[in-house]
Amino acid sequence: MYIFRFIVLFFTFSIAGFSAANEALPIEVYGALPDVSMMVISPSGEKIAYRRTEQDKDYMMIYNLADNKLLGAVDLSNIKPSNLYFIDEKRLIIVVKRDTRLWGYRGRHEVSSAYSYDLEKNKMVQLLSLGFGIHDGQTQLGNIVGLSADGESVYMPAWTNETSFSLMRSSLERRKVKRFKRGSHDVRDYFVNDQDQILARELYNNKQDLHSVEALIDGKWQEIFREKTAFPTKSFAGITPDFNHLIMLDTDADTGRIAYYTMQLKNGKISDAIFSQPDKNVESVLTDINRVVYGVRYSGFKPSYELFNKKTHSLVESLIQSMPNNSLRLVDHTPDWGKMIFLIEGEHAKGDYFIYSNGKFSSVGSQRSKIAPTQVHQVYETEFNARDGLKIPLLLTLPHTELKNLPAILMPHGGPESYDKVGFDWMAQFFASRGFLVIQPQFRGSDGFGSDFILKGRGEWGQKMQHDLTDAVKTLIKSDYVDANKVCIVGASYGGYAALAGAAFTPNLYQCAVSINGVADIKQMLEDEENDFGSDHWVLSYWQENITKGKIDKKHLEEISPITHVNNIQIPVLLIHGEYDKVVPIRQSKNMYEELQDAGKQVKFIELNEGDHYLSNGINRMEALKAIDTFIINSMGTD
């Protein structure tokens, strides 16, 4: 196929720049957590804060940019930070997660919390706590929807009892929380303005399958939007700067892509699509702490933006166009856009942070300081035709060697409504450094390529979605880029399911399979979702639609479950699972392990101590990568 001819031409040109000194780096360089992450800038642009990890050390660091003086540090070793941002020059918000037990509830639960950190006082205050007017059974306590007019408190939704999802006002300076507005069981979100006024609330009624929005008009809730739907398909993502409209993301009927709309709070009138592109989704909105929207980010292997300030938009567009082989991700900015932080990945970039100001870039940190620019492996964008003619987008991470008869790793992404991006994928880069061609097909059902592409994956678990992975490998084998006798499939979450499905349904295609926190038993998965959420909850409806198009048939679930087909598996299998995984319970891998053992198959199971679904713990990530490396070497005879 002609698309692969371009790969050869590109590769022949690019390898001339690499020297013999580019030897394989130690596995620890790839398996470690990023040195620097979560970088943000203060409103004045004078300070930056970021997460710094090194071996067993994990801190939030705050620096003065002018003289690089350390202003403060917070030990994060016993928590899992997930978000960080400045409120003003002296205060930051840190959102963290903890795996813990909840009194009166079985098992362990991942609980998010938000803390206010006062830089001048070196003081941390937890904003919401279980038992302080907050119902004991909830896990999401880190969501902030607005800042009070005096800047001393934040607004946070929380369950005050089992039937009331209310809006709370929490002090930033001391542990003081009060209920600002009583809610109901169906409320799922609140919107406020900058004058301590509630504007609207979003609701979903599971029994009625009713998605709605109510505006607070003259002190009374008035419904301004309603839609009967088995699960929400529209996202209410923010507020316009005049606080008169909500921002709604929905599919544009003309393009099949997610577009940006506004909805008037006074009457619910929805605008025509304001930001819509024929080949990209509006993937997210850029907001401040009150969720006032100032721009959008579009989907794509590399991000692009639409900013409301035309001058700033033109500037960002020119910066992106000046680096066509790189991904420039806008991660933070000052309110006046005078300083912007970009994370640059792609060609010769391993996740490098730069501040752009006054016409120039200044380096402020790197996620992978031990990797030289020439040691970053090129990520190549292309596509191929599946067996039914559907074009499947594809990313290839290229090793520094001749692109012919290579050992290969097929890496299906999780989700499955997700997609891979051009960036420093630590696992893909590791495999490429060991001489593998890394194949990442964006199989039908993946997000980012339009609603029709997503819908083509509905009901296709283990079938056409799996065929797309098979076709990617066979296409590359037929084109002589991949050695048919040296292909391993490695995936996490849904990708873990796909790895096990590959071993079970195409036993002659792969030489080994690695499932990380993967699903093996679809029937058990749906039963778990029903137990967790209830039979009438939209989450269960979503998974039923995604997996089987809503037609639940026990025989079909067994047909697409790898655990039912262990006798077909002829290759070594490695199962890795986090002990505290809350997305895919560890029993999925334990049960698969027992079935494979009973069938006399080659299988190894590794349980990651206190591990979660995302390999977010550095020790667990390193253990997993070392185990995968050894397993693949033993299975395929590569070194």
Side-chain angles (χ1 to χ4, degrees):
M1 298 174 67
Y2 75 93
I3 55 172
F4 294 108
R5 178 166 55 86
F6 287 115
I7 297 174
V8 174
L9 293 174
F10 168 82
F11 187 78
T12 303
F13 172 79
S14 67
I15 59 174
F18 297 106
S19 69
N22 282 304
E23 299 177 355
L25 294 167
I27 191 171
E28 288 79 9
V29 171
Y30 297 96
L33 294 175
D35 303 339
V36 174
S37 60
M38 298 169 58
M39 185 174 288
V40 292
I41 192 165
S42 69
S44 70
E46 296 175 358
K47 304 178 182 75
I48 59 170
Y50 56 84
R51 181 187 183 187
R52 171 72 178 174
T53 58
E54 184 177 358
Q55 296 180 347
D56 60 343
K57 297 181 177 63
D58 196 341
Y59 290 94
M60 178 185 71
M61 317 287 286
I62 305 100
Y63 279 91
N64 187 61
L65 282 172
D67 56 8
N68 201 34
K69 180 182 178 182
L70 178 64
L71 301 175
V74 177
D75 188 354
L76 304 174
S77 301
N78 297 320
I79 53 179
K80 184 170 64 176
S82 61
N83 199 6
L84 174 68
Y85 50 93
F86 279 95
I87 291 179
D88 51 36
E89 290 304 303
K90 71 171 186 174
R91 292 178 299 191
L92 297 98
I93 295 292
I94 309 173
V95 182
V96 306
K97 294 180 179 180
R98 283 192 180 92
D99 188 279
T100 185
R101 294 187 180 276
L102 297 176
W103 186 85
Y105 292 85
R106 291 184 301 172
R108 301 185 68 88
H109 303 267
E110 189 171 72
V111 178
S112 71
S113 303
Y115 291 81
S116 169
Y117 175 65
D118 190 308
L119 179 60
E120 295 176 355
K121 298 177 181 178
N122 191 30
K123 179 183 176 183
M124 292 272 286
V125 175
Q126 185 171 354
L127 300 180
L128 293 182
S129 301
L130 296 177
F132 289 83
I134 306 300
H135 181 54
D136 288 335
Q138 65 188 298
T139 58
Q140 303 300 316
L141 295 176
N143 185 26
I144 295 174
V145 300
L147 180 67
S148 64
D150 61 10
E152 297 302 316
S153 302
V154 288
Y155 294 104
M156 308 176 69
W159 292 94
T160 51
N161 55 53
E162 291 184 346
T163 61
S164 181
F165 191 64
S166 302
L167 187 63
M168 314 300 289
R169 178 170 169 146
S170 179
S171 170
L172 293 167
E173 295 296 327
R174 60 190 185 278
R175 181 170 288 188
K176 181 181 179 182
V177 180
K178 67 177 182 179
R179 186 171 59 198
F180 189 73
K181 189 71 174 180
R182 182 189 296 273
S184 69
H185 187 271
D186 296 338
V187 177
R188 52 184 285 175
D189 200 3
Y190 289 92
F191 297 89
V192 301
N193 65 13
D194 58 355
Q195 297 299 314
D196 302 314
Q197 296 173 323
I198 297 179
L199 300 176
R201 63 184 186 182
E202 181 185 3
L203 305 93
Y204 186 85
N205 185 298
N206 286 293
K207 293 186 182 300
Q208 300 178 23
D209 289 344
L210 178 63
H211 189 197
S212 61
V213 174
E214 296 176 345
L216 191 61
I217 301 174
D218 297 329
K220 296 181 179 180
W221 291 114
Q222 296 188 24
E223 185 177 86
I224 59 172
F225 166 84
R226 68 159 39 210
E227 181 180 51
K228 290 279 288 185
T229 175
F231 50 87
T233 60
K234 296 174 174 59
S235 172
F236 294 93
I239 314 170
T240 54
D242 60 8
F243 295 106
N244 290 326
H245 305 75
L246 291 184
I247 304 304
M248 184 181 78
L249 304 184
D250 189 20
T251 301
D252 186 334
D254 294 331
T255 65
R257 295 288 187 158
I258 303 298
Y260 175 104
Y261 301 82
T262 62
M263 185 172 72
Q264 289 188 27
L265 287 168
K266 66 180 181 180
N267 57 19
K269 183 179 179 180
I270 298 173
S271 69
D272 293 332
I274 296 174
F275 297 114
S276 181
Q277 293 198 9
D279 59 345
K280 296 178 181 179
N281 293 338
V282 174
E283 191 164 76
S284 63
V285 295
L286 308 181
T287 69
D288 62 14
I289 193 171
N290 284 314
R291 297 199 288 181
V292 173
V293 178
Y294 297 105
V296 303
R297 186 179 76 224
Y298 290 107
S299 65
F301 283 145
K302 302 186 187 82
S304 57
Y305 298 88
E306 189 85 44
L307 304 178
F308 300 168
N309 184 299
K310 293 183 179 180
K311 182 178 178 181
T312 305
H313 174 74
S314 297
L315 172 60
V316 171
E317 279 291 292
S318 66
L319 294 175
I320 290 174
Q321 292 172 12
S322 70
M323 300 185 214
N325 296 326
N326 292 97
S327 165
L328 273 72
R329 184 169 297 275
L330 178 60
V331 297
D332 202 16
H333 59 89
T334 55
D336 64 359
W337 296 87
K339 291 184 178 180
M340 293 177 280
I341 297 180
F342 288 94
L343 177 65
I344 301 180
E345 300 176 283
E347 187 176 58
H348 303 325
K350 66 276 190 184
D352 302 313
Y353 286 101
F354 289 85
I355 290 180
Y356 184 85
S357 179
N358 297 321
K360 64 179 182 179
F361 281 105
S362 301
S363 175
V364 285
S366 174
Q367 292 187 337
R368 306 281 174 179
S369 59
K370 296 180 178 65
I371 298 177
T374 54
Q375 292 170 317
V376 177
H377 294 267
Q378 180 66 38
V379 181
Y380 190 79
E381 305 171 42
T382 184
E383 62 183 14
F384 68 95
N385 291 326
R387 65 188 68 181
D388 61 357
L390 183 66
K391 290 189 180 299
I392 305 296
L394 177 68
L395 290 181
L396 297 173
T397 304
L398 310 178
H400 295 160
T401 186
E402 183 183 2
L403 198 63
K404 185 179 176 69
N405 291 325
L406 290 170
I409 303 292
L410 179 73
M411 277 182 53
H413 61 71
E417 287 188 20
S418 178
Y419 68 101
D420 297 301
K421 299 178 176 65
V422 171
F424 193 93
D425 183 317
W426 61 274
M427 190 173 286
Q429 288 285 325
F430 168 74
F431 287 136
S433 76
R434 268 48 181 175
F436 291 95
L437 176 67
V438 182
I439 309 165
Q440 294 176 286
Q442 311 308 297
F443 47 84
R444 71 193 70 201
S446 299
D447 196 8
F449 306 99
S451 298
D452 287 346
F453 196 79
I454 288 178
L455 294 176
K456 287 182 186 298
R458 294 284 164 85
E460 295 296 343
W461 283 47
Q463 299 179 106
K464 290 182 180 179
M465 291 166 72
Q466 197 70 28
H467 298 338
D468 293 343
L469 303 178
T470 301
D471 294 347
V473 175
K474 288 186 174 180
T475 300
L476 287 161
I477 290 172
K478 185 177 181 180
S479 302
D480 294 329
Y481 297 112
V482 168
D483 184 341
N485 297 312
K486 291 187 176 181
V487 183
C488 188
I489 181 168
V490 179
S493 194
Y494 174 85
Y497 163 80
L500 295 175
F505 304 147
T506 50
N508 298 319
L509 186 61
Y510 305 105
Q511 281 64 58
C512 56
V514 180
S515 171
I516 306 165
N517 298 329
V519 175
D521 186 339
I522 303 297
K523 181 174 175 288
Q524 183 65 60
M525 172 190 168
L526 292 177
E527 288 176 357
D528 288 342
E529 295 296 332
E530 184 172 355
N531 289 335
D532 289 344
F533 294 98
S535 60
D536 60 357
H537 200 280
W538 70 265
V539 170
L540 180 62
S541 298
Y542 166 79
W543 282 119
Q544 290 172 341
E545 173 68 17
N546 190 289
I547 296 171
T548 67
K549 271 194 169 180
K551 300 175 182 178
I552 305 304
D553 177 80
K554 180 180 178 181
K555 184 178 179 181
H556 176 65
L557 296 181
E558 291 176 350
E559 287 176 352
I560 63 174
S561 294
I563 199 167
T564 315
H565 303 278
V566 294
N567 288 330
N568 292 347
I569 296 176
Q570 307 300 323
I571 60 175
V573 174
L574 174 61
L575 302 166
I576 299 174
H577 218 114
E579 178 187 10
Y580 295 160
D581 189 342
K582 298 301 178 292
V583 180
V584 178
I586 192 172
R587 67 170 167 270
Q588 286 277 346
S589 289
K590 285 185 175 181
N591 292 345
M592 186 68 178
Y593 176 63
E594 291 173 0
E595 291 294 324
L596 286 165
Q597 272 198 320
D598 291 345
K601 305 299 181 179
Q602 299 179 67
V603 60
K604 183 176 182 179
F605 173 54
I606 294 175
E607 179 175 328
L608 299 175
N609 184 43
E610 298 184 4
D612 63 9
H613 189 67
Y614 306 101
L615 294 181
S616 60
N617 177 281
I619 295 174
N620 287 339
R621 182 179 292 193
M622 192 73 73
E623 180 182 353
L625 189 58
K626 287 181 177 179
I628 293 168
D629 184 38
T630 300
F631 173 76
I632 291 176
I633 290 173
N634 292 338
S635 300
M636 295 207 295
T638 59
D639 53 34

